[in-house]
Amino acid sequence: MNHPPPPPHVQADAFLAEAAALLGVRGLTTDPERVDAWLTDWRGRYTGRALALASPASTAEVAALVKLCAAHGVPIVPQGGNSGMAGGATPDATGTAILLSLRRMDRIRHVDPATGQAVCEAGVILQSLHDAADAAGLRFPLTLGGKGSATIGGLIATNAGGTQVLRHGTMRAQVLGLEAVLASGEVLDLMTPLKKDNRGFDLKQLLIGSEGTLGIVTTACLRLLPAPIGRATAWVGLGGIVDARTLLRQMERALGEALEGFEVVPAHCLASVLAHQPTARAPLTEPHEWNALIECVSPSQDSAALRERLEAGLGTALEQGLIADAVIAANDTQAEAFWALRDGISAAERALGPAMQHDISVPVEKMPEFIIAAAPAIEAAFPGTRAVAFGHLGDGNVHFHVLAPEGAVRGVWEEADGKDVSARVYDLVTEWGGSISAEHGIGQMKVEELARLHDPVALALMAQVKAALDPDNLLNPGKLLLNPPAREAARLARTAAKA
Amino acid sequence: MNHPPPPPHVQADAFLAEAAALLGVRGLTTDPERVDAWLTDWRGRYTGRALALASPASTAEVAALVKLCAAHGVPIVPQGGNSGMAGGATPDATGTAILLSLRRMDRIRHVDPATGQAVCEAGVILQSLHDAADAAGLRFPLTLGGKGSATIGGLIATNAGGTQVLRHGTMRAQVLGLEAVLASGEVLDLMTPLKKDNRGFDLKQLLIGSEGTLGIVTTACLRLLPAPIGRATAWVGLGGIVDARTLLRQMERALGEALEGFEVVPAHCLASVLAHQPTARAPLTEPHEWNALIECVSPSQDSAALRERLEAGLGTALEQGLIADAVIAANDTQAEAFWALRDGISAAERALGPAMQHDISVPVEKMPEFIIAAAPAIEAAFPGTRAVAFGHLGDGNVHFHVLAPEGAVRGVWEEADGKDVSARVYDLVTEWGGSISAEHGIGQMKVEELARLHDPVALALMAQVKAALDPDNLLNPGKLLLNPPAREAARLARTAAKA
């Protein structure tokens, strides 16, 4: 005999009572004062609702909670430092999901200089790992602006990038082992770090970058490198972005493994930063169309030796007429000042007015031509806008910002013309064989654009994997991939557009 | 109205007629003289049967053939150079599958010094890629014994290793992009090499190492490195394997990125090679319990400079009493002679009589203790046997060979005691948190052992992925994962064993 299901609030009450019994007072709260701050992403673009905020203290508690959610059909939105750029950790507006914070799982279990490994729980903050590695004479070779709040679990879930990818790779390259709770509540233990392991599909790689849609990372074993001994940093003035690529290749040859960062900054961005930060100073006497910021680090050569190699390489480039001017930082303070110019771009551009920001990549060797073609195309299509590209040229990844026309109203322009601008930028990137998300992930921000523009074969494959591993669609639903009904609608729309 | 299906031979005839029309005379054959050689793996352990040998000439032909196979329910066994170590490219005995050779797809589409990239079809032989890279002043940084027959597609499908993994990683690290035909016959195009791309699950990583069970790799974009300028090779005598690990760590610090290989060879293996190869000479005057073969390569330092660094590092180790003796190769000929000793071990050990060979890994830092514990444990459990471990200490991967007792009959011992020996070795490896397949893959050789010993959560996850991507189980069935009925039986046996 079938009873009708109880009304939703009764179901939720039963679930919450069981969850509270499981997690205790510290582990579960519905108090708006403790929950609300985590329901909006840090850029303030997305706000959602949740049944409660769960903060389990251990993998076992995460697993038990996921089993409970599976039994009650409660969706789960995992969250680390809530510093993601794509709304991937913000629940939707229905309030049916539970927000699962990993922040209480913040132990660094060990840092081992002998093996060059660290074992961290998912909630460890990146800065804490940097500090722990540093104290052991080691270094964790990934860093980014949000290091004071971003967690190891979130960095793995989004395969985070940053400014050292050129040399050390993204988060994917740092993960030696991981542990994750699956949709069933089972624990997948891939923690033993093996340099070679060909026992079937690489499930670790499948979970990295899956944004909490296939499993919840609870612990990781990460690689550490010897602490650097030497450092050399240069600011270079160039006439064009094609020359910047030539310089990149020459620097790769001249500096080899020591070349760790190669960022480009157009004149407009530098001028914005200088105007925005009263104490900032231009590194070179004259302005240049383009600037390159070059960072070299070595675990074996000292700073003097590195500066000598960098100087020799830049000297050759100067003689060739490839670069117009260059200055090598005399010390760490000056190097940090150069980086502050680079890191200050986003804030300075924001101060100028509304803008659409795009984290995109194309093959490294095509990036200059892409910028040369795409910036004027966007400016022509949207009169009054200004398109600027800056960032990780060495990774083929720039932040492509489109500034609104003068007088555009913040909060209005973004939702109107801004959306069209973004669609056009993503169209262009796709035409060039690039990625609409180089390092920030898809989250909820780009999920519709991914459905519109990504290879249908790849999309279908991802949907198959998702359905197989999370058949009830409870793990971060609607992030990265549209929910099944929306996915089908998008597929039909794509087919219709082609016909 | 349902008609009964036609008898199997009639179905096969219809399929073969369509396949012949699709692929032409060069593309499909049932002639035993052209087929039979490919139905036995190169070690001669497995022999199967097949409906025919298909040799498509293009991705489009592979895709059309896979669609045809899907329509007729014909299983597909992909094959490259047929040099695999685990029987992964040999069909089963039923003769119901088609053998799909990728060897006709052997074009290197381009080798680009500017980007450091090569685009190869799946059938390109590794040696051909080495030659093409060399001719362009570049280098493909993966090599192994079977380089004269192993193909790029096979190397990707098995995530091959070799002797340069310490520095450059396995095949996984060399693949910038790939194209694969899925079970549906659809083509997944992931060829554009993006250094950063966070558009969802990393499907490329999922396919690498999947041994043809999730898709058939047809083309790849691979990374190339600058050609080396300098090289230095040393042969070192040591008193114990723990000292070899200490030496490895010291060499990593002293040589940094230049350290490319660190192999260990026990006294027994060296003596076997010297006895087996009449022209071979011991590099050092006295025998030592253990030997280390150290290879350094640099794209920027010349051989004299590298030899100096190597000599300084070994000098320190000698003063510390860490090593007993060492010799640095005076030239490439001498370096090759050192490597010939290492590469000659398998043949020399085989000449001594029957043996079971195991390609295993444990964490690098545990390998010495593993060898010290496991070798006597095996010798005690199987009186008269001798266990030797040699190979890639720097990767935590040794080839663990167990030689049969004197008088054991080749072809008999392996099937009787040999199987028990292997099961015990794999038990030990699993207890130590290691892998029963470090670099050779699972194929058909280890599929039962994987089902017996691997983490049930990981096995279940792999089975879910396989079922989602290849619902009819037509892509290399029974390899890597047991076929579904056998899988269920293994799961029940595991559960019963625990109860």
Side-chain angles (χ1 to χ4, degrees), chain B residues 73-87:
Chain B
V74 172
I76 300 163
V77 178
Q79 191 179 77
N82 194 26
S83 57
M85 307 289 270

Side-chain angles (χ1 to χ4, degrees), chain A residues 114-115 117 158-159 162 165-167 172 182 186-189 192-203 205-206 209-210 213-214 249 257 361-365 392 394-395 397 433-439 441-442 450 454-455 457-458 461-462 464-466 468-469 480-481, chain B residues 114-115 117 158-159 162 165-167 172 182 186-189 192-203 205-206 209-210 213-214 249 257 361-365 392 394-395 397 433-439 441-442 450 454-455 457-458 461-462 464-466 468-469 480-481:
Chain A
T115 59
Q117 292 168 5
T158 57
N159 184 29
V165 173
L166 175 64
R167 169 71 191 85
R172 189 177 297 284
L182 305 175
E186 286 178 302
V187 179
L188 178 67
D189 179 353
T192 307
L194 296 172
K195 288 194 71 168
K196 283 181 174 171
D197 183 10
N198 275 346
R199 284 175 296 177
F201 315 151
D202 196 331
L203 300 171
Q205 300 294 349
L206 185 60
S210 67
T213 64
L214 300 180
R249 296 306 184 200
E257 306 290 349
S361 66
V362 299
V364 182
E365 66 274 16
H392 324 296
D395 309 323
N397 168 210
S435 171
I436 66 166
S437 175
E439 57 178 5
I442 299 299
L450 190 75
H454 202 33
D455 173 27
V457 177
L461 207 55
M462 284 197 247
Q464 285 163 0
V465 170
K466 170 72 173 172
L469 269 57
L480 196 157
L481 291 168
Chain B
T115 59
Q117 292 169 6
T158 58
N159 183 29
V165 173
L166 174 63
R167 169 70 191 88
R172 189 177 298 284
L182 304 175
E186 286 178 302
V187 178
L188 178 68
D189 179 354
T192 307
L194 296 172
K195 287 193 73 169
K196 282 181 175 172
D197 183 10
N198 275 348
R199 283 175 296 176
F201 314 153
D202 196 331
L203 300 171
Q205 300 293 350
L206 186 59
S210 67
T213 64
L214 300 180
R249 296 305 185 200
E257 306 289 349
S361 68
V362 299
V364 182
E365 66 273 18
H392 324 295
D395 307 323
N397 167 211
S435 171
I436 68 167
S437 176
E439 57 178 5
I442 299 298
L450 190 74
H454 202 33
D455 173 26
V457 177
L461 208 55
M462 285 198 247
Q464 285 163 1
V465 171
K466 169 72 172 171
L469 270 58
L480 197 159
L481 291 168

Side-chain angles (χ1 to χ4, degrees), chain B residues 52-398:
Chain B
L53 171 66
S55 305
S58 66
T59 300
E61 286 192 1
V62 175
L65 179 66
V66 171
K67 276 187 183 154
L68 189 64
C69 289
H72 287 263
V74 172
I76 300 163
V77 178
Q79 191 179 77
N82 194 26
S83 57
M85 307 289 270
T90 308
D92 67 18
T94 62
T96 52
I98 190 154
L99 186 61
L100 195 169
S101 166
L102 279 304
R103 285 182 295 276
R104 256 179 91 199
M105 293 182 61
D106 63 353
R107 279 190 312 153
I108 298 176
R109 292 199 198 142
H110 75 252
V111 169
D112 185 353
T115 59
Q117 292 169 6
V119 172
C120 296
E121 293 179 349
V124 169
I125 288 170
L126 178 55
Q127 182 67 59
S128 307
L129 177 59
H130 282 171
D131 294 345
D134 193 45
L138 296 165
R139 173 189 192 210
F140 181 64
L142 183 141
T143 192
L144 39 71
K147 65 184 170 186
S149 50
T151 61
I152 297 305
L155 294 165
I156 294 174
T158 58
N159 183 29
T163 50
Q164 295 165 351
V165 173
L166 174 63
R167 169 70 191 88
H168 302 292
T170 62
M171 195 67 186
R172 189 177 298 284
Q174 323 310 329
V175 179
L176 305 175
L178 59 74
E179 177 195 74
V181 174
L182 304 175
S184 60
E186 286 178 302
V187 178
L188 178 68
D189 179 354
L190 306 171
M191 280 295 289
T192 307
L194 296 172
K195 287 193 73 169
K196 282 181 175 172
D197 183 10
N198 275 348
R199 283 175 296 176
F201 314 153
D202 196 331
L203 300 171
K204 184 180 78 182
Q205 300 293 350
L206 186 59
L207 284 160
I208 297 170
S210 67
E211 303 189 20
T213 64
L214 300 180
I216 299 164
V217 174
T218 45
T219 317
C221 180
L222 303 169
R223 74 164 177 155
L224 301 174
L225 299 181
I229 288 177
R231 177 188 187 189
T233 311
W235 189 277
V236 181
L238 299 119
I241 186 69
V242 173
D243 290 344
R245 175 183 53 200
T246 308
L247 181 64
L248 167 67
R249 296 305 185 200
Q250 289 193 194
M251 291 292 110
E252 284 174 340
R253 279 193 294 274
L255 296 159
E257 306 289 349
L259 183 66
E260 187 166 287
F262 194 104
E263 303 278 310
V264 291
V265 178
H268 184 276
C269 292
L270 179 59
S272 306
V273 175
L274 294 173
H276 185 64
Q277 300 181 358
T279 59
R281 278 172 31 191
L284 301 173
T285 46
E286 300 288 322
H288 301 274
E289 276 302 302
W290 283 90
N291 304 271
L293 174 54
I294 302 174
E295 176 86 12
C296 306
V297 165
S298 170
S300 53
Q301 283 197 303
D302 66 15
S303 297
L306 267 186
R307 275 198 287 265
E308 213 169 282
R309 286 172 70 191
L310 185 54
E311 198 168 349
L314 291 174
T316 306
L318 208 57
E319 279 164 30
Q320 293 167 327
L322 181 65
I323 65 174
D325 199 0
V327 55
I328 294 176
N331 49 47
D332 270 356
T333 310
Q334 204 175 0
E336 291 310 322
F338 292 176
W339 275 102
L341 296 172
R342 158 67 184 88
D343 292 335
I345 295 173
S346 283
E349 297 281 351
R350 250 197 310 275
L352 294 177
M356 300 306 287
Q357 307 180 344
H358 312 92
D359 158 48
I360 57 165
S361 68
V362 299
V364 182
E365 66 273 18
K366 288 188 186 167
M367 185 50 93
E369 288 74 18
F370 173 80
I371 294 173
I372 290 167
I378 293 293
E379 291 171 358
F382 300 93
T385 60
R386 177 166 197 126
V388 295
F390 65 92
H392 324 295
L393 181 69
D395 307 323
N397 167 211
V398 294

Side-chain angles (χ1 to χ4, degrees), chain B residues 390-416:
Chain B
F390 65 92
H392 324 295
L393 181 69
D395 307 323
N397 167 211
V398 294
H399 300 288
F400 192 96
H401 288 192
V402 181
L403 286 64
E406 237 175 284
V409 179
R410 203 185 291 270
V412 175
W413 180 79
E414 294 91 330
E415 292 301 311

Side-chain angles (χ1 to χ4, degrees), chain A residues 66-151:
Chain A
V66 172
K67 275 187 184 155
L68 189 64
C69 289
H72 288 262
V74 172
I76 301 163
V77 178
Q79 190 179 76
N82 194 26
S83 56
M85 307 288 270
T90 308
D92 66 18
T94 62
T96 53
I98 190 153
L99 186 62
L100 195 168
S101 165
L102 278 304
R103 285 182 295 276
R104 254 179 93 198
M105 292 182 62
D106 63 352
R107 280 190 312 153
I108 298 176
R109 292 201 196 138
H110 74 252
V111 169
D112 184 352
T115 59
Q117 292 168 5
V119 172
C120 296
E121 293 180 349
V124 168
I125 288 170
L126 179 55
Q127 183 67 58
S128 307
L129 176 59
H130 282 170
D131 294 345
D134 193 45
L138 296 165
R139 174 190 192 209
F140 181 64
L142 183 140
T143 192
L144 39 70
K147 65 185 171 186
S149 50
T151 60

Side-chain angles (χ1 to χ4, degrees), chain A residues 306-318:
Chain A
L306 267 187
R307 276 199 285 265
E308 213 169 284
R309 287 172 70 192
L310 184 55
E311 198 168 350
L314 291 175
T316 306
L318 207 55

